[in-house]
Amino acid sequence: MIMNTIECPIFLPSLGDRIRIVVRYRNSWRPIFWFKLSKDGSVYLGPRLAEISEIKSGKASPIGDNQFRVQYSEGERIDNPELLTQAKLSFHGSGIVNTPGGRTSGEKIRSLNDQVLLCVTTFRHLSHFDVIDETEIKGRDVCLNCPIDESRPLWGQLWIAPSTNEHPVLHNSEAVTWQINAFFRYQGVQEIKKLTIQFVLAYGVEGSWPPYSSVLFVGEDIQ
């Protein structure tokens, strides 16, 4: 399976809009991911789950250039009931990243000059996500008709760039057999320049769907 074309729809949301990524599976719509860019340059995001029973936080082990191994049996379980109901990540414009497992340091969005990868998301099988009726689809929902392949798990990437330096992320067609790139272009305000968020949804090699949805990002411990 080789990609011949890549769709790149462009959206013009407002700062503060909560965007939901919704995919079609078994003749029904299922929200799988959400994000928003606030007026201070902070990005909030997470898998779209109505009920969360378990959260783990941990560090992935590098196994090569730009490759990491995630062991789902490892990680620290988070039992705080409040965090279970408000599970999300926030990448603040200052560079601080807040996670259910604590704070770390990442990209300083307010001073970005180039396009950078904020995070990678892996998804559980789509049957675990809630079904919504077409009447529940909102104006800020992005509905994607993905050619779902049961033998190829879906994953996503969230990139951010100054709008003057945005460019489509193109993956090697031998490793990624389908992808769609959705661009979200925001007008700037006094605190931040014009920014573009690019959400890449894709699948590639055959394999098992992961037992959890996860969000991975590169960060440094705060001293």
Side-chain angles (χ1 to χ4, degrees):
M1 187 188 306
I2 302 297
M3 291 183 293
N4 295 318
T5 61
I6 296 174
E7 292 184 56
C8 294
I10 296 173
F11 303 90
L12 303 174
S14 298
L15 292 166
D17 285 352
R18 184 183 173 108
I19 307 297
R20 286 197 309 183
I21 304 297
V22 185
V23 299
R24 189 107 175 139
Y25 178 67
R26 291 183 179 173
N27 297 317
S28 61
W29 291 107
R30 299 172 189 252
I32 62 170
F33 190 76
W34 70 272
F35 67 87
K36 73 174 181 178
L37 175 62
S38 67
K39 293 182 178 180
D40 67 354
S42 300
V43 179
Y44 300 83
L45 58 88
R48 178 61 176 85
L49 299 169
E51 183 176 344
I52 300 173
S53 59
E54 183 179 1
I55 298 177
K56 284 186 176 181
S57 177
K59 296 181 180 181
S61 303
I63 58 174
D65 292 339
N66 298 317
Q67 296 184 56
F68 295 85
R69 185 184 304 278
V70 176
Q71 298 285 0
Y72 291 103
S73 60
E74 299 178 355
E76 180 181 352
R77 181 166 178 161
I78 297 170
D79 297 318
N80 186 327
E82 184 177 350
L83 293 177
L84 288 175
T85 59
Q86 300 179 3
K88 63 179 183 293
L89 274 71
S90 58
F91 293 79
H92 284 256
S94 64
I96 297 298
V97 183
N98 286 324
T99 79
R103 305 175 80 198
T104 185
S105 177
E107 295 289 345
K108 296 181 179 180
I109 298 173
R110 290 189 198 133
S111 57
L112 277 183
N113 293 315
D114 299 308
Q115 183 165 281
V116 298
L117 176 63
L118 274 187
C119 66
V120 176
T121 301
T122 62
F123 297 102
R124 294 181 73 186
H125 191 273
L126 296 178
S127 59
H128 292 284
F129 290 87
D130 287 344
V131 174
I132 62 171
D133 189 81
E134 290 191 5
T135 59
E136 299 177 86
I137 294 175
K138 304 175 183 179
R140 298 181 183 91
D141 291 340
V142 174
C143 299
L144 304 176
N145 264 313
C146 306
I148 302 300
D149 186 331
E150 294 285 358
S151 66
R152 302 173 190 270
L154 277 176
W155 51 268
Q157 292 180 329
L158 202 72
W159 297 75
I160 190 167
S163 295
T164 53
N165 288 339
E166 67 175 61
H167 55 86
V169 175
L170 304 177
H171 291 286
N172 186 321
S173 60
E174 294 181 0
V176 176
T177 51
W178 176 86
Q179 74 175 79
I180 185 170
N181 299 39
F183 285 79
F184 301 85
R185 291 175 177 162
Y186 296 84
Q187 293 296 314
V189 292
Q190 184 175 357
E191 292 85 352
I192 59 169
K193 63 187 79 173
K194 294 181 180 180
L195 294 172
T196 296
I197 286 180
Q198 181 178 177
F199 180 76
V200 181
L201 185 64
Y203 60 68
V205 297
E206 293 185 355
S208 301
W209 291 69
Y212 302 96
S213 294
S214 61
V215 181
L216 298 91
F217 66 95
V218 176
E220 297 181 0
D221 293 334
I222 297 176
Q223 302 298 323

